[in-house]
Amino acid sequence: MYKHFFKRFIDLFLSFFGIIFLAIPMLIIAIAIKCDSKGPVFFKQKRVGIHKKLFPILKFRTMRTDTPHDAPTHELSDPKKWITKVGGFLRKTSLDELPQIFNIFVGQMSIIGPRPALWNQDDLVAERDKYGANDIKPGLTGWAQINGRDELEIPVKAKLDGEYVEKMSFGFDCKCFFGTITSVLKHDGVVEGGTGEMKREAEEKEKEAAEK
């Protein structure tokens, strides 16, 4: 009952009031973006939705307009050079994700779920197929986001998404929601271009220990 009715009701309820209460903060962010750099306020990008159906995700623009459009941040050479000053703050605080409340309101996304993959991230989509994680709505935040976020390698991220599919419930969604608030306040897992950073750090520590 929760998966097929109450989850959507909660998404609709919270996104509706979120649009109302966040209207002024989002307007302030929009003005800051326009003052900081040339280009549109919002950034649209094709993402993979439920049953692998593509949809346009909304974000506040955090990068220069000449940034390669469909490349994941971790595949860019020196990704920080493409990020604007305001964009750096928005990404660090995850405020760039706020416009996705509109995606949630129209039913393309959920508040909690696997983060939507880029349309060309075939490796992540294929890994999620193993766990049925492509058969639920993607989320604004999820289980993987509070367990490593940008630092996770794709197989680990997909496995955590699969774990979410198995444990999906009101209580588990609350755990992900409040865990996200903690992660955002602590800036956990935010590494520009840092997919797999946890593994690399572990390997570096092992190498240093071996050299001593």
Side-chain angles (χ1 to χ4, degrees):
M1 181 66 76
Y2 174 73
K3 297 178 183 179
H4 302 291
F5 177 74
F6 287 112
K7 186 173 174 67
R8 175 55 187 155
F9 175 78
I10 293 170
D11 286 340
L12 191 59
F13 179 83
L14 292 180
S15 60
F16 175 75
F17 285 101
I19 290 170
I20 294 173
F21 290 117
L22 294 173
I24 292 178
M26 287 196 291
L27 177 61
I28 293 172
I29 292 172
I31 293 172
I33 291 171
K34 292 298 289 184
C35 291
D36 182 47
S37 62
K38 294 181 180 179
V41 169
F42 296 110
F43 173 72
K44 289 185 180 181
Q45 192 176 55
K46 285 189 293 183
R47 293 292 180 108
V48 180
I50 186 171
H51 305 312
K52 294 185 277 192
K53 182 179 179 181
L54 299 181
F55 73 97
I57 198 172
L58 271 180
K59 288 188 173 189
F60 281 121
R61 182 176 60 83
T62 60
M63 296 181 131
R64 292 165 19 196
T65 54
D66 58 339
T67 305
H69 189 72
D70 287 317
T73 305
H74 68 271
E75 290 185 1
L76 296 173
S77 58
D78 190 14
K80 291 183 179 180
K81 77 175 184 179
W82 302 100
I83 300 172
T84 64
K85 291 179 181 179
V86 170
F89 171 76
L90 295 178
R91 292 168 76 93
K92 189 174 183 179
T93 57
S94 296
L95 290 174
D96 60 316
E97 311 285 0
L98 283 183
Q100 287 160 48
I101 59 175
F102 294 102
N103 292 114
I104 295 170
F105 184 73
V106 300
Q108 296 167 326
M109 291 177 61
S110 180
I111 293 173
I112 308 297
R115 282 296 297 160
L118 280 165
W119 66 273
N120 56 359
Q121 280 186 293
D122 297 330
D123 49 356
L124 178 56
V125 173
E127 283 293 320
R128 283 178 170 171
D129 268 337
K130 299 176 183 178
Y131 305 101
N134 291 315
D135 296 322
I136 62 172
K137 286 182 183 178
L140 179 64
T141 186
W143 186 232
Q145 276 57 55
I146 63 174
N147 283 283
R149 194 174 170 177
D150 297 336
E151 297 177 341
L152 298 172
E153 289 193 310
I154 283 174
V156 178
K157 185 180 295 184
K159 188 174 181 179
L160 286 168
D161 291 332
E163 189 176 334
Y164 172 75
V165 174
E166 293 179 359
K167 296 181 178 180
M168 190 193 308
S169 64
F170 176 71
F172 199 63
D173 276 4
C174 287
K175 184 176 183 177
C176 292
F177 181 82
F178 291 109
T180 297
I181 294 174
T182 301
S183 295
V184 169
L185 292 175
K186 295 168 62 178
H187 308 308
D188 285 346
V190 182
V191 181
E192 297 300 347
T195 296
E197 190 65 21
M198 291 179 85
K199 183 178 179 181
R200 282 194 288 272
E201 287 181 358
E203 290 175 347
E204 287 177 3
K205 287 180 181 179
E206 290 179 1
K207 184 178 179 180
E208 289 175 1
E211 291 175 349
K212 289 182 180 179

